[in-house]
Amino acid sequence: MTVSPAKLRWALWVGLATVVVWGANFALMKSVYSVATPAGYLFARYLVLSACAVGLLVWRYGTRWPKPARADLINLAKLGLLGHTVHVSMVNFGVHWSTAFSSSLILACGPVFTLIILRWSGIEVLRPTQVAGVGVARSAFCCFCRKSCSRAVGQQPGAICFCWWRAACSRTTPWPASR
């Protein structure tokens, strides 16, 4: 299957636009943090996001929304609580406490955090390539963000990095025995 040059150009422009919007997000968040706390920003964000979700559901289905299976609802509730309470809150406070460069690295780790959350919930089984990917991401994160981490937790970035790595592997590799 060959793709036309016009479609490739369109894909490139869409990708570049996504990068620009994603990058502009940092400036927007930092400017909002000058007038609101990260918790206030998250509250407003969830209100707007919920209103958009309801609007889309009403637009698409009217008042007859699809009913997910009970097992899916339970998993969605668990993942939503864990993902939004832990991951998104950590990212937002990390953006607030760090530089723009560190913030971009924190957000670039989003897929890794998602993988860790799915692993903890028992939905995802880590393959060796995923464990290696988490290790590379952890190493880069610790290398580039060590100063920000040190300020936030009192000179212990190595401990944070180790815990992050162990969290990713906790269901595939047993914790070291305590002495």
Side-chain angles (χ1 to χ4, degrees):
M1 176 179 169
T2 58
V3 179
S4 71
K7 285 186 178 182
L8 289 174
R9 273 192 303 279
W10 174 248
L12 176 64
W13 283 110
V14 169
L16 288 173
T18 302
V19 169
V20 168
V21 169
W22 184 77
N25 180 53
F26 298 110
L28 176 67
M29 288 174 75
K30 287 292 203 179
S31 66
V32 169
Y33 290 157
S34 68
V35 295
T37 65
Y41 170 79
L42 283 172
F43 180 75
R45 175 182 166 176
Y46 291 142
L47 283 179
V48 170
L49 195 62
S50 298
C52 289
V54 168
L56 282 172
L57 284 168
V58 169
W59 172 74
R60 174 63 178 92
Y61 298 104
T63 58
R64 303 184 80 127
W65 295 2
K67 295 193 179 358
R70 184 176 181 87
D72 289 340
L73 280 176
I74 292 169
N75 281 335
L76 284 172
K78 283 192 245 179
L79 292 174
L81 182 65
L82 184 62
H84 288 287
T85 303
V86 177
H87 173 231
V88 176
S89 297
M90 277 182 15
V91 165
N92 277 277
F93 278 96
V95 168
H96 177 62
W97 291 329
S98 66
T99 66
F101 178 74
S102 295
S103 299
S104 64
L105 284 175
I106 291 167
L107 287 179
C109 292
V112 175
F113 283 117
T114 302
L115 181 65
I116 291 169
I117 290 167
L118 290 172
R119 181 65 222 136
W120 276 351
S121 67
I123 294 172
E124 184 72 28
V125 176
L126 293 180
R127 294 184 306 273
T129 54
Q130 290 172 310
V131 172
V134 170
V136 169
R138 176 204 54 92
S139 298
F141 177 84
C142 293
C143 177
F144 288 114
C145 293
R146 66 183 178 271
K147 288 183 182 176
S148 295
C149 288
S150 295
R151 277 181 297 202
V153 293
Q155 307 299 323
Q156 297 299 326
I160 288 176
C161 294
F162 175 75
C163 289
W164 189 43
W165 169 254
R166 293 304 304 173
C169 302
S170 62
R171 293 225 180 163
T172 58
T173 313
W175 286 89
S178 57
R179 296 178 193 188

